[in-house]
C-alpha cells in the first residue's frame, strides 16, 4: 500500500441488524495491520443504510445507530 493512502475496512454489514462485537472488529483490524501500517486502515460499515423496504433489508434508525456505535467506539479506542 503506498504511503499516505488509506485502506477502508468494511467490517460491519449494513444489511442485517445483528451486531458485530468490538473484540471481533479489533481482531480484524489487527489482521489488516499485518499487511499495512496501523495508521493506514480506517473502519467503516460495508455500505450505507440506504436499502429500501422493497429490498427486504431495511434497518430501523435504532438498529442503524446500534450498528454505528461499535464502529465509532472501536475506532476511538484503536486510533484515539
Amino acid at each position: 500500500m503506498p504511503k499516505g493512502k488509506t485502506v477502508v475496512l468494511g467490517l460491519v454489514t449494513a444489511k442485517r441488524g445483528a451486531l458485530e462485537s468490538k473484540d471481533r472488529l479489533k481482531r480484524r483490524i489487527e489482521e489488516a495491520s499485518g499487511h499495512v501500517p496501523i495508521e493506514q486502515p480506517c473502519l467503516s460499515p460495508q455500505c450505507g443504510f440506504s436499502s429500501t423496504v422493497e429490498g427486504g433489508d431495511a434497518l430501523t434508525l435504532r438498529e442503524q445507530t446500534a450498528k454505528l456505535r461499535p464502529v465509532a467506539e472501536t475506532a476511538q479506542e484503536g486510533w484515539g
Side-chain angles (χ1 to χ4, degrees):
M1 178 58 55
K3 194 172 188 164
K5 296 289 183 177
T6 301
V7 177
V8 178
L9 304 175
L11 302 179
V12 176
T13 181
K15 301 277 184 195
R16 294 180 306 278
L19 298 177
E20 292 81 356
S21 74
K22 288 192 323 184
D23 286 338
R24 183 165 191 274
L25 295 175
K26 289 176 183 178
R27 282 194 307 273
R28 299 290 306 277
I29 293 166
E30 285 179 27
E31 288 176 30
S33 70
H35 302 280
V36 296
I38 193 64
E39 300 81 27
Q40 286 184 274
C42 61
L43 182 58
S44 173
Q46 293 173 348
C47 59
F49 295 106
S50 63
S51 299
T52 64
V53 173
E54 294 85 9
D57 57 358
L59 297 177
T60 67
L61 179 57
R62 177 172 281 158
E63 290 172 316
Q64 291 175 33
T65 301
K67 296 290 280 191
L68 291 173
R69 186 171 294 116
V71 172
E73 290 173 357
T74 302
Q76 182 64 34
E77 291 169 14
W79 293 285

